Amino acid sequence: MKLRKVTAASAVVVALAVTATACGGNNSNSGSGGGSGKIKIGIKFDQPGLGLKQPDGSYAGFDVDVATYVAKQLGYKPSDIQWVETKSADRENALQRGDVKFIAATYSITDKRKAKVDFAGPYLLAHQDLLLKKDSKIAKGTDLNGKNLCSVTGSTSAQNIHDTIAPHSNLKELSSYSECIASLQSGAVDAVTTDDSILAGYAAQDKYKGQFKLAGLKLSNENYGIGVKKGDSATLDKINKALEKMVSDGSWKAAVEKNFGPANYKNEPAPKIGQIVK
Ligand code: GLU
């Protein structure tokens, strides 16, 4: 960031810090947020519109844009960011181990997760829904009982099916939603369930166009937060300020339009920081 202004002596320090990072020992050289190092951020790699690793190796989606904006406020350029895949079941562990500084990965704030990690935000309100084959007769949550269903291990979506929505469905739990979508296409399952924000992104992909429909049921409230290591209140406060700024300067709206527009996903208005919709 400010490399051009540094003195020769501090340039050596910067060079050493960069070398240390390159050796891979340490990802926590971000204490000052001063931008001399790299930052590791957890996202999803296979969720179009939210967190997607593209064929050219670049990353795109609403979570990617939110994370990039937040990282900038913490003092990191886009080129300082190292994206790390954090699947649904791995998120708490990744934060507890210190694999990543923060996670922006369709990560709902829940009391159970709050026992292990802290959350900034929320920055998006989504709702659990069903993705169905175009000609499906399934019309409500209880229609799922006795049906084959797919969701992801460690997600609130899978938990909600077991707890309340359809405890008597045959729920298959895989490690990512893209695997569930493949099962829906092949006919191995009758529905995929997770957040409407995620399902809309898959449904709009060229390869699936015209094949699927969303049920539009709003089966839950999913308040997306940015996960940080428990007790890292310095990072948490900075992220909350960054999220507030992202909304007030119009960047949040621009990111919504850019990433959800193509999927025709009608998102909820920007949430207030600290306000969870139960
Ligand atoms: N937002 C839900 C969750 O955090 C479902 C999406 C996901 O698995 O990332 O569990």
Side-chain angles (χ1 to χ4, degrees):
M1 307 230 88
K2 293 173 182 155
L3 282 179
R4 254 173 270 115
K5 287 189 200 151
V6 297
T7 62
S10 57
V12 172
V13 175
V14 170
L16 288 173
V18 169
T19 312
T21 311
C23 292
N26 163 12
N27 68 312
S28 59
N29 59 331
S30 47
S32 70
S36 62
K38 300 275 181 191
I39 183 166
K40 290 186 182 168
I41 302 174
I43 53 166
K44 296 294 184 72
F45 276 17
D46 68 338
Q47 296 181 185
L50 285 149
L52 185 70
K53 184 172 184 180
Q54 306 188 101
D56 69 358
S58 65
Y59 297 84
F62 185 66
D63 282 341
V64 170
D65 288 347
V66 169
T68 303
Y69 187 98
V70 165
K72 187 171 179 207
Q73 301 303 308
L74 298 179
Y76 297 91
K77 302 188 290 292
S79 59
D80 295 329
I81 299 172
Q82 198 181 326
W83 301 107
V84 176
E85 183 175 32
T86 46
K87 292 190 166 183
S88 297
D90 301 335
R91 293 175 291 199
E92 288 83 45
N93 284 337
L95 288 170
Q96 285 176 322
R97 282 193 304 258
D99 293 352
V100 292
K101 189 74 178 170
F102 66 80
I103 290 181
T106 59
Y107 197 9
S108 297
I109 302 171
T110 69
D111 289 340
K112 200 169 153 200
R113 290 171 181 165
K114 275 194 328 204
K116 295 179 176 172
V117 302
D118 287 337
F119 287 100
Y123 64 92
L124 190 75
L125 175 63
H127 306 281
Q128 185 166 352
D129 200 2
L130 311 175
L131 191 69
L132 306 165
K133 282 265 182 75
K134 201 114 218 187
D135 57 1
S136 173
K137 300 271 183 298
I138 294 169
K140 54 187 191 302
T142 46
D143 290 348
L144 295 169
N145 286 314
K147 293 281 192 320
N148 295 319
L149 184 61
C150 189
S151 196
V152 165
T153 317
S155 68
T156 54
S157 325
Q159 193 68 48
N160 292 338
I161 291 293
H162 287 306
D163 291 352
T164 53
I165 299 169
H168 304 295
S169 63
N170 174 25
L171 179 65
K172 181 157 122 186
E173 293 184 38
L174 302 180
S175 75
S176 74
Y177 296 106
S178 45
E179 294 168 69
C180 281
I181 301 294
S183 299
L184 179 64
Q185 195 184 28
S186 76
V189 298
D190 304 300
V192 176
T193 186
T194 187
D195 307 336
D196 46 11
S197 48
I198 299 172
L199 297 173
Y202 287 116
Q205 282 197 304
D206 278 342
K207 58 180 170 181
Y208 299 129
K209 267 220 166 99
Q211 296 185 39
F212 302 142
K213 64 179 179 190
L214 268 85
L217 296 176
K218 299 200 172 171
L219 296 165
S220 73
N221 293 316
E222 304 296 323
N223 299 266
Y224 288 4
I226 294 194
V228 301
K229 192 176 207 155
K230 194 149 193 61
D232 187 358
S233 55
T235 305
L236 192 89
D237 291 347
K238 284 184 205 160
I239 295 177
N240 277 333
K241 289 209 175 70
L243 291 173
E244 260 163 10
K245 187 165 178 221
M246 188 175 185
V247 173
S248 66
D249 74 7
S251 305
W252 186 90
K253 189 161 178 273
V256 156
E257 281 163 9
K258 173 181 152 207
N259 294 294
F260 296 139
N264 202 22
Y265 174 63
K266 302 277 175 278
N267 62 284
E268 302 273 4
K272 289 236 159 16
I273 298 302
Q275 239 174 60
I276 307 296
V277 179
K278 290 278 183 195

